[in-house]
Amino acid sequence: MENFIYIALFSPLAFAVFSAFFVLAKKNTLLGYLGFSSIVISLIASLNLFFHIFINDYGLKIYLFEWMSVGNLNLGFSFSVDNISVVMMLVVTFVSSMVFLYSIFYMYKDEAFNRFFTYLSLFVFSMLVLVLADNFAVLFIGWEAVGLCSWLLIGFWYHKKRASKAANEAFVLNRIGDIGLMFAMFVIFWEVGSLDFDIFFKSLHFLDSSSLNLIAALLFLAAMGKSAQFPLHTWLANAMEGPTPVSALIHAATMVTAGVYLIIRCNELYVLTPDISYFIAFLGAFVAIFAASMAMVNNDLKRIIAYSTLSQLGFMFVAAGLGAYWVALFHLTTHAFFKSVLFLGAGNVMHAMNDKVDIRRMGNLHKDLKKTSYIMIIASLALSGIFPLSGFFSKDKILESAFANSFILWSVLIITAFLTAFYSFRLIMKVFFVKSNQPLDSKPHEASKIAIFSMLPLIFLAAIFGFFEKEFEEFTTNLLPTYSANLSYETIYILIIITSLVSIFGIIFAIFRYKNSTYSFKKRNIFQRVLLNQYYIPNIYNIFAKVYLWFSKLIFKYIEDKLIDKTIDNIAISAYNMGSKFKVIHNGNLSSYLRLIVGGVLMFLIVVLILAIL
């Protein structure tokens, strides 16, 4: 069975290496289909590993080679497949395969078609390294590699200034989080003497609380960067400058969930650090409502879905912070299905609207994009948590966990549930059903059959996966801690009714609010301006950036240039001048050289004699 790990892991890498030779060649759709095939092979291997674990109830490990052995540090390039990592493997490979297939349609006219598939397959390999890592060092390689691939894909259209700037912003903010992971690794090795997961988790009970809290806080800082949690959140919305399939894969289903995965993977640590865990939960709740509020008024099609992703990540962190790790993983999985569909649907809309993203300039597209419309409506219902779609089951479990632990948390999340339903159907109404009075450049048309086909498996799982809740819980809690909200059946049913009514009311409110709406650019009130400007947080960051730039220029001018460079230049000039003065002794006269030698020897003897006397 170990061979399936090699196949799942290295199939995307093999294609990435192969396709790299054709990056500068003429675009060829065959390369896209080969890339899709490589991910399908990885998916099939992942399914085999899943059934092996499901039937035999034990995981697998492979040890490729000894990577590093210095002093007490012994690092192996090793990977493990267990109940947690195999779920992530299936999510990554399944969503990736559908995104690859969709990208053949979406990127068909792009001259850099070949380069796109090279980057995308390299990203899938990097993500698999991250989730299969058996120690923190290998995890760090995957962690950094997905960051690099994210930078390449967000800035794929690097000739666009906004895309290049967004890629750099994502890269820098992720590096801030990565500092947390690096320092966590240093502390872990200092305290435990190893970076292996098994050794680290077995040693937790021997560490003092301050060390545990420090490691937990540093790892969460890493998760904040990768999963775009406040205050490292601004890059996620700006990352929408990349191609839409990138948003569907990286910023909905895989990379942004890596932070949640890290917390789930380190659950044994966070069980012992309740203060850090509660902080994670409360920050997650804040991010959930914070991002949802910005999605309410935004008019950029992809940014609305991006803020929705940020909000749902907040839900996942609430569950993980409260110890409901399997619930967090469950919502991660269901969210991957319906959110990736929403991004791909947005790609269909953009394709029909000649890449326009302003929903105020859309409207009445249902008659021309019926298939996309129906698919996005189902995905939006799942996102809103409407029964019997998958989002209902996973979101309901998070709300139950929140209610059992803190009424404040539950209140924030129930308000967020209303906002989620509202902004989801605000988007649906404005794009598909609102009357449009704007002239179109061309008649909108449905996406190709291949695009629709690639969305169907995702929307199917978004619809039915919730019914496998019990099976998912049983499978994952073989490794993760079991969790029960300890609520009576009556309380649970009341909470379900409240949550459902809140979501339904949000949908109805959006429908009636926008059913007679038309294209308009009304003057915005203060509240809308604050939300559209992301609470002016980017402006605050720009102030810090400008101060830092001013300070850097000051340091360069007065310290680097006038002090350090000047000092080094003066030393060089002095040495040159001294050399110029002494070069006269090199006159080619042997008698002069002998006199200098004798004089030098006499001076040396005098110095030695003086030192001997002293």
Side-chain angles (χ1 to χ4, degrees):
M1 287 302 298
E2 287 82 358
N3 289 334
F4 285 111
I5 302 178
Y6 293 109
I7 295 170
L9 183 61
F10 292 110
S11 179
L13 178 62
F15 171 75
V17 173
F18 172 77
S19 61
F21 290 101
F22 300 94
V23 163
L24 299 178
K26 186 178 180 181
K27 62 182 180 183
N28 191 335
T29 54
L30 178 62
L31 204 64
Y33 285 107
L34 287 174
F36 167 68
S37 301
S38 71
I39 306 301
V40 170
I41 291 170
S42 184
L43 172 60
I44 294 171
S46 300
L47 281 169
N48 276 278
L49 292 168
F50 168 76
F51 286 118
H52 169 81
I53 295 173
F54 183 78
I55 295 169
N56 299 294
D57 200 25
Y58 67 87
L60 298 166
K61 291 190 178 184
I62 57 171
Y63 189 93
L64 290 182
F65 53 84
E66 185 178 55
W67 177 23
M68 196 181 301
S69 182
V70 181
N72 295 326
L73 178 63
N74 296 293
L75 291 177
F77 212 81
S78 54
F79 301 92
S80 66
V81 179
D82 54 29
N83 301 61
I84 303 174
S85 58
V86 78
V87 170
M88 290 297 295
M89 287 178 72
L90 289 173
V91 171
V92 170
T93 54
F94 180 75
V95 175
S96 298
S97 60
M98 295 302 102
V99 170
F100 262 74
L101 188 60
Y102 180 89
S103 299
I104 296 171
F105 146 75
Y106 193 85
M107 301 298 292
Y108 176 72
K109 295 182 179 180
D110 200 296
E111 290 300 321
F113 182 90
N114 298 356
R115 176 164 59 90
F116 178 81
F117 281 90
T118 302
Y119 290 169
L120 210 60
S121 55
L122 186 61
F123 169 80
V124 176
F125 166 72
S126 302
M127 191 67 196
L128 289 172
V129 170
L130 192 159
V131 300
L132 290 174
D134 194 39
N135 59 64
F136 283 102
V138 176
L139 181 142
F140 185 74
I141 292 175
W143 194 271
E144 291 299 301
V146 295
L148 171 63
C149 294
S150 174
W151 177 74
L152 291 171
L153 288 164
I154 295 170
F156 181 76
W157 291 315
Y158 55 84
H159 54 278
K160 296 181 180 179
K161 187 176 181 180
R162 289 180 61 180
S164 182
K165 185 178 179 181
N168 291 337
E169 180 186 10
F171 192 81
V172 170
L173 287 176
N174 272 270
R175 297 294 73 73
I176 294 173
D178 295 349
I179 291 172
L181 182 55
M182 288 181 64
F183 276 102
M185 291 166 60
F186 295 151
V187 177
I188 289 169
F189 181 72
W190 179 267
E191 295 287 343
V192 178
S194 175
L195 294 176
D196 286 348
F197 288 151
D198 290 341
I199 297 174
F200 171 62
F201 294 137
K202 289 176 182 177
S203 305
L204 289 176
H205 292 282
F206 300 102
L207 303 181
D208 58 71
S209 59
S210 60
S211 297
L212 291 172
N213 285 322
L214 177 59
I215 295 169
L218 289 171
L219 288 175
F220 180 58
L221 176 60
M224 288 170 63
K226 199 64 73 182
S227 293
Q229 294 297 283
F230 179 88
L232 305 178
H233 65 283
T234 55
W235 69 267
L236 184 59
N238 294 332
M240 297 304 105
E241 294 296 330
T244 301
V246 172
S247 304
L249 180 60
I250 295 182
H251 307 121
T254 53
M255 192 189 88
V256 292
T257 60
V260 181
Y261 170 76
L262 180 62
I263 304 300
I264 296 171
R265 171 58 68 187
C266 298
N267 64 87
E268 294 176 54
L269 168 65
Y270 287 98
V271 167
L272 300 175
T273 54
D275 292 338
I276 301 295
S277 295
Y278 270 103
F279 176 78
I280 292 172
F282 277 91
L283 181 63
F286 167 75
V287 171
I289 195 168
F290 171 74
S293 65
M294 292 187 286
M296 282 177 57
V297 300
N298 205 282
N299 296 305
D300 186 301
L301 176 63
K302 288 175 66 177
R303 282 177 179 261
I304 294 170
I305 305 173
Y307 285 129
S308 174
T309 298
L310 187 55
S311 180
Q312 296 306 304
L313 286 167
F315 274 85
M316 297 174 207
F317 277 111
V318 170
L322 295 176
Y325 300 105
W326 79 265
V327 177
L329 188 60
F330 186 45
H331 192 56
L332 184 157
T333 305
T334 61
H335 174 264
F337 300 141
F338 56 72
K339 189 54 65 64
S340 56
V341 166
L342 283 172
F343 271 116
L344 297 182
N348 290 355
V349 173
M350 291 170 61
H351 177 73
M353 296 296 294
N354 295 322
D355 291 330
K356 289 186 176 69
V357 293
D358 192 335
I359 61 175
R360 294 171 297 182
R361 299 181 183 275
M362 299 178 188
N364 203 28
L365 292 179
H366 174 74
K367 61 184 178 62
D368 297 306
L369 281 73
K370 280 189 172 62
K371 295 175 184 176
T372 297
S373 173
Y374 289 133
I375 290 173
M376 289 190 72
I377 289 171
I378 295 171
S380 297
L381 288 170
L383 172 59
S384 302
I386 301 301
F387 182 84
L389 304 176
S390 62
F392 165 81
F393 295 90
S394 57
K395 188 177 289 187
D396 178 66
K397 283 295 178 184
I398 296 175
L399 286 164
E400 286 179 22
S401 306
F403 186 83
N405 285 272
S406 169
F407 183 76
I408 295 175
L409 279 178
W410 179 80
S411 300
V412 172
L413 293 185
I414 202 70
I415 295 170
T416 306
F418 168 79
L419 299 180
T420 302
F422 175 80
Y423 69 65
S424 297
F425 278 83
R426 170 180 175 265
L427 183 150
I428 294 295
M429 293 299 294
K430 279 185 167 287
V431 171
F432 295 109
F433 298 105
V434 165
K435 294 179 181 178
S436 175
N437 59 5
Q438 285 297 300
L440 299 177
D441 298 334
S442 60
K443 181 177 173 56
H445 57 280
E446 186 61 270
S448 69
K449 291 180 180 179
I450 190 173
I452 299 298
F453 178 79
S454 64
M455 297 167 69
L456 292 179
L458 291 169
I459 198 62
F460 176 72
L461 286 179
I464 63 110
F465 193 77
F467 291 105
F468 297 95
E469 176 191 323
K470 290 298 180 185
E471 291 79 3
F472 188 92
E473 179 183 3
E474 290 173 4
F475 181 75
T476 54
T477 51
N478 283 334
L479 192 64
L480 294 171
T482 56
Y483 179 84
S484 175
N486 294 320
L487 299 173
S488 65
Y489 284 112
E490 292 81 3
T491 304
I492 291 173
Y493 287 134
I494 291 170
L495 290 176
I496 290 174
I497 292 170
I498 292 172
T499 304
S500 300
L501 289 175
V502 165
S503 297
I504 291 169
F505 178 70
I507 293 171
I508 293 172
F509 183 62
I511 291 172
F512 280 93
R513 168 68 179 80
Y514 295 105
K515 69 175 184 176
N516 295 319
S517 178
T518 55
Y519 170 89
S520 65
F521 286 94
K522 295 180 181 179
K523 187 177 180 181
R524 304 182 183 109
N525 57 41
I526 295 176
F527 179 68
Q528 289 176 318
R529 287 200 298 270
V530 170
L531 294 180
L532 284 169
N533 287 284
Q534 304 178 55
Y535 293 91
Y536 294 99
I537 292 173
N539 300 72
I540 297 171
Y541 288 175
N542 286 335
I543 293 171
F544 280 109
K546 288 178 180 178
V547 171
Y548 177 77
L549 181 62
W550 171 82
F551 181 72
S552 299
K553 289 180 177 179
L554 199 69
I555 292 294
F556 173 77
K557 183 177 180 180
Y558 292 102
I559 304 297
E560 178 73 20
D561 191 33
K562 292 191 175 182
L563 180 61
I564 298 175
D565 281 0
K566 201 79 171 179
T567 301
I568 294 173
D569 288 345
N570 287 336
I571 292 172
I573 292 170
S574 299
Y576 178 80
N577 291 336
M578 188 178 294
S580 298
K581 291 178 181 179
F582 279 98
K583 71 180 181 180
V584 295
I585 65 176
H586 292 281
N587 53 15
N589 191 309
L590 183 60
S591 299
S592 298
Y593 292 163
L594 289 173
R595 285 194 293 271
L596 287 171
I597 291 171
V598 171
V601 171
L602 286 174
M603 288 180 65
F604 175 73
L605 292 173
I606 292 170
V607 171
V608 171
L609 182 62
I610 293 172
L611 292 175
I613 294 172
L614 295 175

